[in-house]
């Protein structure tokens, strides 16, 4: 008995000393708010993180550190500083940082959660594969347009009744990923598919896994699962096994020797065959995780951007009208807009860029890790740190964008009506890990947004007030609040 008590006390003592050490800021690290023993800086205002980060930047400069539970977080602000760290020191800061999502959900595999040579090899493969099919090319556009048509039909079926566009956008955008990844799409009323795509994004963005468990991962061991760790992991398994089933089915029907590759999976299977007998990283496991990554990274982000688009043009009917006038003048009423029309629609294009800036979809990007300690601007960034690229500090910088809190598409139009200054919109990240799906996402935003405006007038619904443009919910993405509206078919 006494022995057990002593043992427990020893363990508790060791744990507390470890936590005491962990929650201190070393002198050489970038500055930051004073730490509290055992808590570190967990007392900062997490409920309004973006505002808090802005205040801390004013106080401590472009690079500051926070000790959040057992993680040392370095927040990096401002365009010059972000570029200097993530481009100039790209060889040191392009690991993915170790957190519970990376270790338990991606298990360091796939593309978004891997690092080092595995990441390099599979990122290169993914980029070239997606490019060959047409990231930016015609065949990719065909897949998107097919989905745009189904999207317009679904909007049409609302018959002028108020509706919430979020589930529809979710289905449409994940179907685009399905087309690209497996070469198949699902019907809009396929409830099983809906449930699965919702499960991925909801479970990751709306869960303690991306919140408290990132900073205090040991809390998952508390009996009774108060942080729903077990539940989320069970859902992740469900989604993984579904994706595995789709892969297995496709394998049966695809003849690697004869059939032409028309999607990501086909190209991967051919690569596996080519590598057969050699030591290759193109394993089944890696295939499965890479495809899951395309879903996780490509769905919530793109549908959130389209929700910001919808909400902003509901608030500003004059923007809708000007877009519609441009579309009708340049391409008419019946033919759907295509990527080839983009250069003829600079105003529409400026609206899309402003949506990416103002929508600020992934304000803190995705955390990076380091491969070694780094000396940066006179501070030591320890290699165990988690680097947070604060993209919000660029997209809302009044020095770069005048009146950043206002939605003003014409900021990207020069006097002669051509696009200008769009390269400063760093919504897709900065450096070697910049979003892999950027060109796909840009095509989706352009095609979905312009087609919707060509066909429908978006109006607030009676009795439903629109949420303010300055309100949002912050998960992994920064989302507008839910709203209902009316889509009136244009005459
Ligand atoms: C508006 C839509 C999108 C936004 C705002 C967005 C933004 C981002 C950001 C900020 C990152 C992190 C960059 C970093 O770690 O430094 C990222 C990574 C990534 N994105 Fe996107 N993304 C979007 C759409 C997509 C789409 C459609 C796909 C693919 C189907 C995709 C696939 C990925 C992947 C695989 C990564 C991980 C890259 C890596 O770790 O090397 N994204 N994205
Ligand atoms: C997030 O999760 C909580 C608790 O599980 C739930 O009540 C809430 O409705 C969820 N929100 C969204 C947007 O899914
Ligand atoms: C690799 O080669 C073996 C024997 O030649 C064959 O049975 C197997 O199906 C091949 N695997 C792939 C992925 O092509
Ligand atoms: C960076 O990633 C590589 C590859 O996963 C890993 O071996 C290495 O330990 C990581 N470095 C740090 C400091 O975590
Ligand atoms: C925390 C959370 O959002 N959990 C959800 C995960 O996905 C399943 C299936 O859709 C939902 O039932 C959970 O509520």
């Amino acid at each position: 008995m006494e022995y057990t008590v002593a043992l427990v006390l020893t363990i508790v003592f060791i744990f507390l000393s470890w936590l005491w050490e962990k929650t201190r800021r070393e002198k050489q690290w970038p500055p930051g708010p004073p730490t509290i023993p055992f808590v570190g800086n967990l007392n900062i205002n997490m409920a309004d993180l973006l505002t808090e980060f802005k205040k801390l930047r004013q106080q401590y400069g472009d690079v500051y550190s926070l000790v959040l539970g057992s993680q040392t977080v370095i927040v990096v602000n401002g365009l010059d500083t972000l570029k200097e760290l993530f481009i100039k020191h790209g060889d040191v800061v392009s690991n993915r940082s170790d957190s519970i999502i990376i270790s338990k959900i991606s298990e360091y595999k796939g593309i978004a959660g891997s690092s080092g040579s595995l990441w390099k090899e599979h990122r290169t493969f993914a980029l070239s594969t997606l490019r060959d099919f047409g990231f930016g090319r015609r065949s990719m556009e065909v897949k998107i347009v097919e989905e745009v048509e189904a999207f317009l039909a679904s909007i049409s079926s609302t018959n002028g009744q108020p509706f919430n566009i979020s589930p529809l956008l979710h289905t449409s955008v994940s179907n685009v990923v399905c087309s690209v990844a497996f070469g198949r799409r699902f019907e809009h009323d396929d409830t099983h598919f809906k449930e699965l795509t919702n499960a991925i994004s909801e479970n990751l963005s709306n869960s303690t896994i991306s919140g408290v468990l990132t900073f205090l991962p040991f809390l998952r061991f508390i009996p009774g699962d108060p942080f729903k760790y077990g539940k989320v992991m069970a859902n992740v398994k469900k989604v993984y096994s579904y994706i595995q089933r789709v892969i297995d089915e496709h394998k049966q029907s695809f003849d690697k020797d004869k059939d032409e590759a028309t999607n990501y999976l086909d190209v991967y299977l051919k690569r596996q065959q080519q590598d057969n007998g050699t030591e290759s990283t193109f394993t089944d496991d890696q295939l499965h995780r890479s495809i899951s990554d395309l879903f996780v990274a490509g769905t919530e982000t793109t549908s959130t951007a389209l929700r910001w688009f919808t909400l902003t043009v509901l608030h500003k009917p004059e923007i809708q009208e000007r877009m519609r006038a441009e579309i009708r003048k340049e391409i008419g009423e019946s033919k759907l807009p295509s990527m080839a029309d983009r250069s003829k629609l600079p105003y529409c294009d400026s609206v899309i860029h402003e949506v990416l800036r103002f929508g600020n979809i992934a304000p803190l990007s995705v955390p990076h890790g380091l491969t070694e300690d780094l000396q940066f601007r006179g501070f030591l960034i320890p290699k165990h740190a988690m680097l947070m690229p604060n993209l919000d500090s660029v997209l809302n910088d009044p020095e770069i964008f005048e009146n950043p809190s206002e939605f003003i598409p014409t900021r990207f139009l020069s006097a002669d009506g051509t696009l200008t200054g769009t390269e400063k919109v760093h919504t897709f990240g900065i450096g070697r890990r910049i979003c892999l799906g950027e060109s796909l996402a840009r095509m989706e935003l352009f095609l979905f947004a312009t087609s919707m405006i060509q066909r429908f007038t978006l109006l607030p619904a009676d009795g439903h007030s629109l949420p303010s443009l300055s309100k949002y919910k912050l998960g992994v993405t920064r989302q507008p609040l839910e709203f209902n509206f009316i889509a009136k078919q244009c005459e």
Side-chain angles (χ1 to χ4, degrees), residues 141 144-153 155 306 309 323-324 327-328 331-339 341 345 348 352 443-458 487-490:
E141 184 174 350
I144 302 174
V145 169
E146 184 184 3
E147 209 47 55
V148 166
E149 282 164 355
F151 171 74
L152 295 175
I155 297 183
L306 284 165
F309 168 74
M323 286 179 76
R324 195 171 301 113
I327 296 167
R328 298 211 155 183
I331 52 184
E333 293 165 23
S334 50
K335 181 186 140 317
L336 284 176
S338 72
M339 293 316 290
D341 298 319
L345 304 172
C348 290
I352 308 285
M443 282 171 78
E444 290 185 75
L445 297 184
F446 181 81
L447 295 170
F448 276 92
T450 54
S451 304
M452 178 160 63
I453 294 303
Q454 181 190 40
R455 302 293 162 97
F456 299 96
T457 306
L458 315 189
K488 195 169 143 258
Q489 197 108 30
C490 294

Side-chain angles (χ1 to χ4, degrees), residues 407-450:
F407 187 83
I408 312 174
T410 49
R411 67 170 83 245
F412 296 118
L413 288 183
S414 59
D416 64 355
T418 54
L419 275 190
T420 176
T422 53
E423 73 287 349
K424 293 171 195 143
V425 184
H426 290 282
T427 313
F428 293 97
I430 291 171
R432 294 185 190 176
R433 291 203 90 122
I434 188 173
C435 178
L436 187 82
E438 177 176 351
S439 33
L440 173 61
R442 288 187 186 278
M443 282 171 78
E444 290 185 75
L445 297 184
F446 181 81
L447 295 170
F448 276 92
T450 54

Side-chain angles (χ1 to χ4, degrees), residues 119-383:
W119 165 71
K120 240 179 237 163
E121 195 173 9
H122 286 265
R123 182 178 163 102
T124 308
F125 173 82
L127 275 170
S128 75
T129 303
L130 297 169
R131 205 175 290 132
D132 285 347
F133 285 141
F135 255 17
R137 288 218 202 141
R138 195 65 201 133
S139 55
M140 184 70 69
E141 184 174 350
V142 170
K143 289 183 199 284
I144 302 174
V145 169
E146 184 184 3
E147 209 47 55
V148 166
E149 282 164 355
F151 171 74
L152 295 175
S154 285
I155 297 183
S156 213
S157 73
T158 61
N159 280 321
Q161 293 306 305
F163 73 110
N164 179 344
I165 202 167
S166 304
L168 173 57
L169 283 174
H170 242 269
T171 310
S172 299
V173 167
S174 25
N175 253 338
V176 171
V177 180
C178 273
S179 272
V180 170
F182 316 119
R184 67 183 268 195
R185 57 182 299 277
F186 295 83
E187 288 310 316
H188 279 191
D189 50 12
D190 187 325
T191 48
H192 185 56
F193 173 64
K194 246 185 228 170
E195 197 186 305
L196 284 162
T197 55
N198 284 341
I200 299 187
S201 52
E202 246 180 59
N203 278 289
L204 285 186
S205 65
N206 184 23
S207 84
T208 53
I209 291 221
S210 52
V212 66
L213 289 181
T214 296
F215 305 117
L216 300 167
F218 44 82
L219 293 180
R220 71 181 183 280
F221 298 118
I222 294 180
D225 201 19
F227 296 99
K228 300 216 170 68
Y229 171 77
K231 198 168 155 241
V232 171
M233 288 308 288
N235 277 311
V236 168
K237 287 231 170 67
K238 212 167 75 184
V239 174
Y240 277 178
S241 72
Y242 182 73
I243 292 181
Q244 191 59 56
R245 219 168 56 226
V246 177
I247 292 176
D248 291 342
E249 272 169 28
H250 190 82
K251 264 188 180 168
Q252 303 277 315
S253 64
F254 181 65
D255 184 338
K256 288 178 290 230
D257 299 313
K258 296 206 194 82
D259 294 345
E260 194 194 335
T262 57
N263 55 57
Y264 193 88
L265 181 50
D266 292 351
V267 182
Y268 198 101
L269 294 176
K270 288 202 181 228
R271 171 69 188 246
Q272 277 191 326
Q273 188 185 33
Q274 196 187 321
D275 284 6
N276 200 357
T278 66
E279 204 163 303
S280 166
T281 61
F282 286 79
T283 58
D284 286 350
D285 224 18
Q286 184 61 14
L287 165 63
H288 175 264
R289 293 313 160 81
S290 296
I291 286 186
S292 306
D293 283 356
L294 298 182
F295 273 99
V296 175
T299 305
E300 181 78 16
T301 45
T302 313
S303 70
T304 299
L306 284 165
R307 270 163 71 205
W308 278 116
F309 168 74
T310 309
L311 185 61
T312 47
V313 301
L314 277 164
H315 272 276
K316 297 179 184 291
E318 68 281 7
I319 293 179
Q320 258 186 76
E321 275 155 33
R322 189 165 165 190
M323 286 179 76
R324 195 171 301 113
E326 188 181 56
I327 296 167
R328 298 211 155 183
K329 176 161 175 280
E330 297 298 334
I331 52 184
E333 293 165 23
S334 50
K335 181 186 140 317
L336 284 176
S338 72
M339 293 316 290
D341 298 319
R342 188 165 165 188
S343 57
K344 289 187 275 179
L345 304 172
Y347 182 73
C348 290
D349 214 359
S350 75
V351 175
I352 308 285
H353 281 97
E354 183 65 344
V355 165
L356 285 169
R357 185 200 69 79
F358 179 90
N360 191 2
I361 317 298
L364 300 174
S365 187
V366 178
H368 286 220
L370 300 95
T371 50
E372 56 188 59
D373 287 352
L374 178 68
Q375 209 64 43
F376 185 74
R377 297 200 172 171
F379 304 116
L380 170 76
I381 301 182
K383 73 172 179 187

